[in-house]
Amino acid sequence: MDVMSLKLLSVAGAVVAISAGAVTMGFAMARIARSALEGMTRQPEASGTIFTSMLIAMALVEALCIYTLVVALVLIVANPLVK
Amino acid sequence: MEGGIEFGLKLVDHIAYSLLASAIVILLAFLVVRRREKGVPKGWQNAGEYLIEMLMKLLGEDFPERLLPTVVPFLTTFFVFILICNWVGLLPHGLPPTADLSTTVALALVAVVGFQVISVSVHGGWGAFKQFLKPVAFFAPLKIIDNLARVLSLSLRLFGNITGEHIVAHIVGLIIPLFFPVILSMLGLLVGGIQAVVFTMLAMKYLAEEVGAEHLREQEEFSLGEGEAA
């Protein structure tokens, strides 16, 4: 396979990876935010602890999307197949 | 990735900016302790004490009281340095040092090694080793993998967030140079703050897990209860 089509395929792969990651993480984070907001409206006095727990949960979920971002960046910037 | 990521960015070395961030942190620390007052603090000292007290309140939920003098400086340093590093990228032509994988991997390694050092200082060498064998010896390989995964996740999360934000801000600035970069700078302020908080909070939870803080707390409360009864 020539270099140009490899580059095109890598860019296409990066786009697919990052959009799939963004869409799924959007759904996951929406669920976290929804349940946290429900908890906060039910118990406003506990909103501080709920907020910090929500931040941690969101960071853990977001890390998965960040991994796809890193893979996409590797595909575009430092692709091991395209020298 | 040598020299960071090039999307037409004018790259100055990340190390220069991390030195700048260190200088700012040292300057801030100097301002906080310059005129120490015992009574009601004012100005910079007030801000510093607010930060420390906030973290101590947060950590007090997880850690026993006698560990706080060890743990609070460790985690506060991470928070302040990462915050300043993230916000250095908002300067004109600035580059956040945390947008380089080397910086974040170094930070995560310091954190994970620091967990073990604190664990040794709490339990002693043999006790820290036995901490790996809890609850059963079968868990030891899992705990080692866990520690390696912590390095990966802590460093990649910080790197990905800050790099992504920086690249988006730069590209939008190229397309619409008029007003939108201001909004994205505000977003960058927010992302930088949240990522600093997230790194600190996760380091705190990992550390609590590593030293078995819950168990220590229960012991302390038990001995306190005994003291009152006697």
Side-chain angles (χ1 to χ4, degrees):
Chain A
M1 204 181 283
D2 57 330
V3 178
M4 194 59 212
S5 51
L6 258 181
K7 275 184 184 171
L8 280 175
L9 271 178
S10 325
V11 170
V15 169
V16 169
I18 196 64
S19 34
V23 168
T24 46
M25 288 313 124
F27 277 112
M29 286 174 92
R31 290 185 88 147
I32 295 171
R34 195 182 75 182
S35 42
L37 283 175
E38 277 173 2
M40 278 186 207
T41 44
R42 268 188 208 147
Q43 280 185 301
E45 67 274 6
S47 56
T49 46
I50 292 176
F51 186 72
T52 47
S53 311
M54 185 191 82
L55 273 190
I56 291 179
M58 278 200 169
L60 288 175
V61 169
E62 191 196 41
L64 301 172
C65 189
I66 294 301
Y67 296 155
T68 59
L69 173 69
V70 170
V71 170
L73 285 178
V74 165
L75 276 179
I76 293 177
V77 180
N79 198 328
L81 298 176
V82 183
K83 284 290 172 197
Chain B
M1 278 176 253
E2 294 105 309
I5 293 161
E6 285 165 326
F7 278 102
L9 283 174
K10 203 170 86 183
L11 283 189
V12 190
D13 210 355
H14 287 90
I15 294 173
Y17 279 100
S18 74
L19 285 176
L20 176 64
S22 313
I24 294 173
V25 171
I26 291 169
L27 183 71
L28 284 178
F30 179 71
L31 282 174
V32 166
V33 297
R34 190 181 43 163
R35 267 186 258 133
R36 272 176 309 202
E37 293 174 41
K38 290 231 166 125
V40 181
K42 273 188 294 187
W44 288 102
Q45 193 192 350
N46 198 359
E49 285 190 12
Y50 172 73
L51 177 67
I52 300 281
E53 274 169 15
M54 197 176 67
L55 271 163
M56 282 188 89
K57 214 179 92 188
L58 214 62
L59 294 169
E61 294 169 9
D62 278 334
F63 289 93
E65 194 123 324
R66 71 188 165 92
L67 279 187
L68 286 184
T70 332
V71 170
V72 168
F74 181 62
L75 293 172
T76 314
T77 314
F78 277 119
F79 177 74
V80 175
F81 183 66
I82 292 173
L83 189 70
I84 300 294
C85 276
N86 293 348
W87 284 356
V88 158
L90 296 172
L91 298 173
H93 292 284
L95 196 68
T98 38
D100 190 25
L101 200 51
S102 314
T103 319
T104 57
V105 169
L107 281 169
L109 276 175
V110 168
V112 169
V113 172
F115 299 159
Q116 298 307 323
V117 171
I118 289 177
S119 181
V120 166
S121 79
V122 172
H123 298 287
W126 182 240
F129 176 70
K130 272 203 293 196
Q131 204 67 27
F132 273 91
L133 306 178
K134 276 177 184 175
V136 282
F138 171 69
F139 275 78
L142 290 181
K143 289 206 168 182
I144 292 167
I145 294 172
D146 193 21
N147 271 317
L148 295 177
R150 279 169 187 169
V151 177
L152 197 72
S153 80
L154 278 177
S155 60
L156 281 187
R157 177 180 305 113
L158 190 58
F159 165 74
N161 270 296
I162 302 302
T163 312
E165 191 273 326
H166 198 68
I167 290 172
V168 168
H170 181 75
I171 289 175
V172 169
L174 285 182
I175 298 169
I176 317 164
L178 194 54
F179 174 66
F180 279 78
V182 180
I183 301 173
L184 278 161
S185 297
M186 280 153 71
L187 185 74
L189 212 62
L190 195 71
V191 168
I194 287 180
Q195 285 313 310
V197 172
V198 160
F199 191 100
T200 318
M201 295 288 293
L202 282 173
M204 179 186 109
K205 294 287 175 195
Y206 292 157
L207 180 59
E209 209 179 302
E210 201 62 29
V211 301
E214 206 172 313
H215 192 61
L216 289 173
R217 228 175 101 89
E218 276 166 15
Q219 275 178 348
E220 193 174 66
E221 273 164 14
F222 185 64
S223 61
L224 275 178
E226 265 187 345
E228 276 167 19

